[in-house]
Amino acid sequence: MGEAANVFNLSDKKYDCNGNGCGVVVESRRPCCWYEEEIYDDLRWSFALNSILHTGTSEFQDIALLDTKHFGKALIIDGKMQSAEMDEFIYHECLVHPALLYHSNPKTVFIMGGGEGSTAREILKHRTIEKVVMCDIDEEVVDFCRRYLVANREAFNNRKLHLVINDARAELEKTQEKFDVIVGDLADPVEGGPCYLLYTQCFYQNILKPKLNHKGIFVTQAGPAGVLTHKEVFSSIYNTLKNVFKYVKAYTAHVPSFADTWGWVMASDEPFELDAEKMDIGIGERIKGELLYLDGESFISSTTMNKSVYQSLLKETHVYTEENARFIYGHGRACLP
Amino acid sequence: MGEAANVFNLSDKKYDCNGNGCGVVVESRRPCCWYEEEIYDDLRWSFALNSILHTGTSEFQDIALLDTKHFGKALIIDGKMQSAEMDEFIYHECLVHPALLYHSNPKTVFIMGGGEGSTAREILKHRTIEKVVMCDIDEEVVDFCRRYLVANREAFNNRKLHLVINDARAELEKTQEKFDVIVGDLADPVEGGPCYLLYTQCFYQNILKPKLNHKGIFVTQAGPAGVLTHKEVFSSIYNTLKNVFKYVKAYTAHVPSFADTWGWVMASDEPFELDAEKMDIGIGERIKGELLYLDGESFISSTTMNKSVYQSLLKETHVYTEENARFIYGHGRACLP
Amino acid sequence: MGEAANVFNLSDKKYDCNGNGCGVVVESRRPCCWYEEEIYDDLRWSFALNSILHTGTSEFQDIALLDTKHFGKALIIDGKMQSAEMDEFIYHECLVHPALLYHSNPKTVFIMGGGEGSTAREILKHRTIEKVVMCDIDEEVVDFCRRYLVANREAFNNRKLHLVINDARAELEKTQEKFDVIVGDLADPVEGGPCYLLYTQCFYQNILKPKLNHKGIFVTQAGPAGVLTHKEVFSSIYNTLKNVFKYVKAYTAHVPSFADTWGWVMASDEPFELDAEKMDIGIGERIKGELLYLDGESFISSTTMNKSVYQSLLKETHVYTEENARFIYGHGRACLP
Amino acid sequence: MGEAANVFNLSDKKYDCNGNGCGVVVESRRPCCWYEEEIYDDLRWSFALNSILHTGTSEFQDIALLDTKHFGKALIIDGKMQSAEMDEFIYHECLVHPALLYHSNPKTVFIMGGGEGSTAREILKHRTIEKVVMCDIDEEVVDFCRRYLVANREAFNNRKLHLVINDARAELEKTQEKFDVIVGDLADPVEGGPCYLLYTQCFYQNILKPKLNHKGIFVTQAGPAGVLTHKEVFSSIYNTLKNVFKYVKAYTAHVPSFADTWGWVMASDEPFELDAEKMDIGIGERIKGELLYLDGESFISSTTMNKSVYQSLLKETHVYTEENARFIYGHGRACLP
């Protein structure tokens, strides 16, 4: 009985009757250790655990790596699941590849947040990439992920990756560099939350956009985009970016471990011109290895919302500004990615 | 303090500091009554409850109507959520309208199962419909839904609706009628489960297909179709129908209260020829009232799967047959819808 | 299938094999609706529900009557179980009868709190009683319990019961009456909590004790008294009362629905002189009906703590005072029972 | 941020306002990893976890060592908590010391079960002890506990301890030895359960009693003994032993982590003659180190049940026999400790 043996993995245990052939399940023990997340105050989600692999705390956040039965290894920050082994490829392929493929020749990328390393990992699959700046506020989280997330280890060690520990807003303000693509891999713009200021029209206009090269593309995760949830932040992010960039493209995908459909928004002053076929060619030529979730056809289809969400995007008038938030600049964790 | 007052609706309760303007949340009481569903042995889902509205038991099943905070009123059968007020329109629009719109002039529809009444409700929105046969095994469930599901009351009272209490397989075998559309609104084809026999190639070929009129269309719910779950039954239903009909079309949608992307499959010996524009015209001309989820564009996009699911559909070889199930005909609930 | 039929009552459902006699349990469905209580941040307790009978809110509190499978009907106030049908007799017999039996001839009783009505019910079983004043701050809770708690209906209608809606502290201060017994049926003295001020040495000395008749007895519930929990408030209440009264007697009982052993403390300037036999005689002569939990022998034994708790009572030096609480007089709910 | 740092230990985390004195709790994160136990089908109990320390499986059982926030390290076998660091001393002191103290000079003890090692640890505190035979069916459980339960390591290494891996019934049948005390530390006598046969009148009379020396004492854990639960097995064990031994003494204690009051029964053909004072002398003279829970007074009081339980013990007529169980000898795990 080694330590690897697993008392919790019992849900399929069966005892057969002895030789009388009835063969029914007499006992089926239930898992007894669970990770529980409050998705909302009135909605919870629980995953049976194999083990609690690693835990830690940082100046800003608490962090854990859990081994769940259903979704594999899961990274938890401040009690919210960030990504799960079984389906993180959906989120990260969607966040990274469309923007890089729509760009004709992306060489430099700036990641706001992304300390987990998976976003960098996907970016570094592109043969054209020469430099990736990953700017995360939380050094301990970055160290934790570098140490424990085996799938991202190679990316963390890639020489093209430049890690900066700083507030992404402050870093973009002070940097002299411009980038082909900027990727927003931050917490949602909850008013008073840590990342609100990185989603405002003012930030996009005055701080972010000037740091994009000509024909540069900005892409950001844009929160839940389900039929019941897309008005929380998705439609506002979309609308805010429409006020700053000439061309904006929203798309969505269901991420099982997020218990919702998720949204992303790309924005640029160049039009997004690429059909499914050309995107497939780009994937084949420019990306090392196989993608698991995205291909040309499915990406195009993911930019068509259902009627309910589409109508909301059309009608949305809310714009994130520093004024309309009940937020006090410079206070607490609010400006930190 | 009436009975309607609600002790459990407390999750957003706030106490402000007295006049000093700090305005923070001092106390936020958590809901204390929950509905908990085991989606899988290792994955659970809990909804805070406002109340337990009605409960009942039938010969076959247990049934409850719960008032949940997050998804509104929810119908639970045998501990599994069947549909929730807030998003049941997604499932039922997807199940009903594409098949009826692809048909040039659907007058008669046979529903296998569907005792909840929502499927009939959507069908009866089509102006062409003259007769709907709803065949459900469980009279008590039908009575329960007729009594308590206000949204379906009008449909239950519609003279075009013919309710039959019977096993759908037996009913289709004995009926002399043929139908323009047959709709499968049954539990998934779990081996040994109550509805397995209603998903086999044999059943489709020998019992169901002969009861379709010329140019008739069969559509069935086809189980979970998420990246992690589509191989459970979705790809097999798709593949089984490909062996029986000349044309088969699968499509999916994320249903929040199912915690997954869901799948449906349409099948016919006539090709499915309708572009987004024509579908929108059909919706406008043939359906009374507004749809909430479906329009032409989004339906077309819902027939394009992501790469992961698409590959599985392409490669699927499993076919449901009576032979390959560990199922014994005529025993228990196994052949009942 | 009536409304009384119960979909949730399924945990013992069994399907037998057909005639082969193996008779094993093939399926045992689990309850799906639960009441969940956070006993502590790190300890929870969940009861399967039959139904949510009644809910309400008051100026001060939220209130619900639940029908649980395990403990019967349960009264919940602000998310904490107050009493359960199956075992509330333990708490209320222990709170009421020892003090009344130790008194030679109790005619008048003042209840601080007790709006549920069960404490009054037990007091009114004593033939000597002429007047019971129940003083509860929350009229809605009293009305709720009067309406829904069938077991206490007779007590609520008893002419000897005088209901006062007021803060018990304020009422004791202003009343001209004195009482043979005063019963404290209040929430625990958590600092900053609603009832803290009703457990201080100052309150006992200056407000409560002057309202006891000669040979009068004060008894109060005294919080959890388990091996792991008796230092929370039990030992401090005991020690505080030792500073105010000449004789103090603590006793405990395990209350299953509280998930803990509970404590009570009696205090008087008369010695507590009664052996088991005399107590049994008192129970027989003075109390109408049978007690379920208490008799002379078991009461005496309940005044002997285990070594762990006994040592703590001996060594306790903490006294509740208005000064040592982080409590601001007159603010919020803090002075309300 | 070391691995020891603890992301889950967040429940008391607070953020203060900066210098404006409002000082309220803005955020109090809840633990997210839980151990959940089904005490009954309709009653659950959940402990927040710090970590899952070790897990294993044996031929008979699954086993885990969890680090819980509330009860410390907890040993779980087959999804049921066996003992918790914070309060296992209650169970084990009650199981072992009364019987050994009532015996005038106990030198040899046989433990049926007890693979955890805590029972042996308590026995070995008695200076008179020369030999302890611990007979447990499950070698892997014994190895697991020997390896991971630090508190019992010394006991496992004690030369007086003789470990036998066998069914305790078979071992007692075949052994030539007799013992001063036999201790039953087995699972409850659930009909069809693994230990039923070790609680029958026949076993006690024909197998166990002959292996007691003159004036020998048998003591067994006797299951839950709460007001609501004592009729499950406690009263029957008591009554069964009354049919076999001249003198029987039952006693109880609330064990917090069992969520119930627990019962034990001692039995002998010698009378149990020891008052509180003499027991305290015995504790002082014969036991190495301090007891935490038991002393003379509290033990005597623990033998007096409340009225409800006492009446049940008086009235109990059920006796465990091999005949009245629905149990088939020799089948499955039924005769194994």
Side-chain angles (χ1 to χ4, degrees), chain B residues 5 29 32 34 36 55 62 78, chain C residues 5 29 32 36 55 62 78:
Chain B
R29 254 167 295 172
C32 58
W34 296 84
E36 179 186 286
T55 62
D62 303 290
D78 278 357
Chain C
R29 256 167 294 171
C32 58
E36 179 186 286
T55 62
D62 303 289
D78 278 357

Side-chain angles (χ1 to χ4, degrees), chain B residues 45-272:
Chain B
W45 181 242
S46 300
F47 311 154
L49 290 175
N50 285 319
S51 60
I52 298 171
L53 294 169
H54 305 288
T55 62
T57 50
S58 78
E59 183 185 352
F60 305 108
Q61 298 165 102
D62 303 290
I63 182 165
L65 188 64
L66 307 179
D67 186 9
T68 74
K69 292 183 188 303
H70 198 81
F71 290 119
K73 285 171 191 150
L75 180 72
I76 315 294
I77 296 186
D78 278 357
K80 289 278 175 185
M81 206 185 53
Q82 304 300 304
S83 78
E85 194 180 12
M86 295 290 281
D87 67 3
E88 58 93 0
F89 68 92
I90 303 174
Y91 174 89
H92 290 107
E93 289 192 8
C94 288
L95 176 63
V96 166
H97 299 302
L100 267 69
L101 290 166
Y102 273 103
H103 193 284
S104 58
N105 187 25
K107 295 184 177 170
T108 57
V109 181
F110 184 93
I111 309 170
M112 305 194 291
E116 173 187 333
S118 305
T119 298
R121 180 197 67 209
E122 292 300 315
I123 293 166
L124 289 164
K125 288 181 180 171
H126 283 254
R127 302 182 202 276
T128 59
I129 292 299
E130 296 173 358
K131 179 178 186 182
V132 179
V133 176
M134 180 210 292
C135 179
D136 200 293
I137 191 75
D138 195 332
E139 188 159 18
E140 283 89 351
V141 164
V142 174
D143 286 348
F144 185 98
C145 295
R146 190 207 312 261
R147 186 168 176 186
Y148 296 122
L149 301 188
V150 177
N152 298 344
R153 198 162 282 172
E154 200 177 327
F156 273 116
N157 293 332
N158 193 309
R159 290 187 184 183
K160 295 174 183 170
L161 183 69
H162 297 245
L163 176 62
V164 178
I165 301 299
N166 196 4
D167 170 17
R169 180 186 170 98
E171 184 66 21
L172 277 178
E173 262 183 317
K174 85 166 189 207
T175 187
Q176 306 296 322
E177 278 182 279
K178 293 190 174 196
F179 299 89
D180 296 328
V181 177
I182 298 179
V183 178
D185 190 11
L186 301 161
D188 290 347
V190 179
E191 293 182 65
C195 297
Y196 182 87
L197 281 184
L198 290 140
Y199 287 89
T200 62
Q201 181 172 351
C202 175
F203 168 71
Y204 288 145
Q205 188 73 56
N206 300 329
I207 299 178
L208 185 146
K209 200 173 171 183
K211 296 301 156 65
L212 278 176
N213 285 322
H214 180 59
K215 300 197 176 181
I217 296 175
F218 171 60
V219 64
T220 182
Q221 80 86 13
V227 166
L228 304 177
T229 54
H230 63 277
K231 291 182 189 169
E232 291 175 17
V233 299
F234 178 57
S235 58
S236 295
I237 293 172
Y238 176 79
N239 192 52
T240 302
L241 284 166
K242 277 208 305 185
N243 284 356
V244 178
F245 291 92
K246 280 193 201 154
Y247 302 95
V248 176
K249 207 179 234 341
Y251 52 101
T252 64
H254 172 231
V255 183
S257 66
F258 291 0
D260 212 343
T261 288
W262 216 251
W264 298 264
V265 182
M266 290 191 296
S268 181
D269 283 347
E270 287 293 299
F272 294 103

Side-chain angles (χ1 to χ4, degrees), chain A residues 1 3 5 7-8 10 18 29-30 32-36 38 55 57 62-64 78 140 147-148 331, chain D residues 1 3 5 7-8 10 18 29-30 32-36 38 55 57 62-64 78 140 147-148:
Chain A
M1 183 178 60
E3 287 179 48
V7 69
F8 301 100
L10 299 169
N18 57 334
R29 256 167 292 172
R30 300 169 51 244
C32 58
C33 291
W34 295 85
Y35 164 74
E36 179 187 286
E38 288 201 348
T55 62
T57 51
D62 302 290
I63 183 165
D78 278 358
E140 281 90 354
R147 186 167 174 187
Y148 297 122
H331 178 271
Chain D
M1 183 177 61
E3 286 180 49
V7 69
F8 302 100
L10 297 170
N18 57 334
R29 257 165 295 171
R30 300 168 52 244
C32 58
C33 291
W34 295 85
Y35 165 73
E36 181 187 285
E38 289 201 349
T55 61
T57 51
D62 303 290
I63 183 165
D78 278 358
E140 283 88 352
R147 185 169 175 186
Y148 296 123

Side-chain angles (χ1 to χ4, degrees), chain D residues 146 271 324:
Chain D
R146 191 208 311 261
N324 70 2

Side-chain angles (χ1 to χ4, degrees), chain B residues 1-3 5 7-8 10 29-30 32-36 38 55-57 62-64 78 140 144 147-148, chain C residues 1-3 5 7-8 10 29-30 32-36 38 52 55-57 62-64 78 140 147-148:
Chain B
M1 183 178 60
E3 286 180 49
V7 69
F8 302 99
L10 298 170
R29 254 167 295 172
R30 300 168 53 244
C32 58
C33 290
W34 296 84
Y35 164 73
E36 179 186 286
E38 288 201 350
T55 62
T57 50
D62 303 290
I63 182 165
D78 278 357
E140 283 89 351
F144 185 98
R147 186 168 176 186
Y148 296 122
Chain C
M1 182 179 59
E3 287 179 49
V7 69
F8 302 101
L10 299 170
R29 256 167 294 171
R30 299 168 52 242
C32 58
C33 290
W34 296 85
Y35 165 73
E36 179 186 286
E38 289 200 349
I52 299 171
T55 62
T57 50
D62 303 289
I63 182 165
D78 278 357
E140 282 88 354
R147 186 168 176 185
Y148 297 122

Side-chain angles (χ1 to χ4, degrees), chain C residues 246-262:
Chain C
K246 279 194 204 153
Y247 302 95
V248 176
K249 208 181 236 336
Y251 53 100
T252 65
H254 173 231
V255 182
S257 66
F258 290 0
D260 212 343
T261 289
W262 216 251

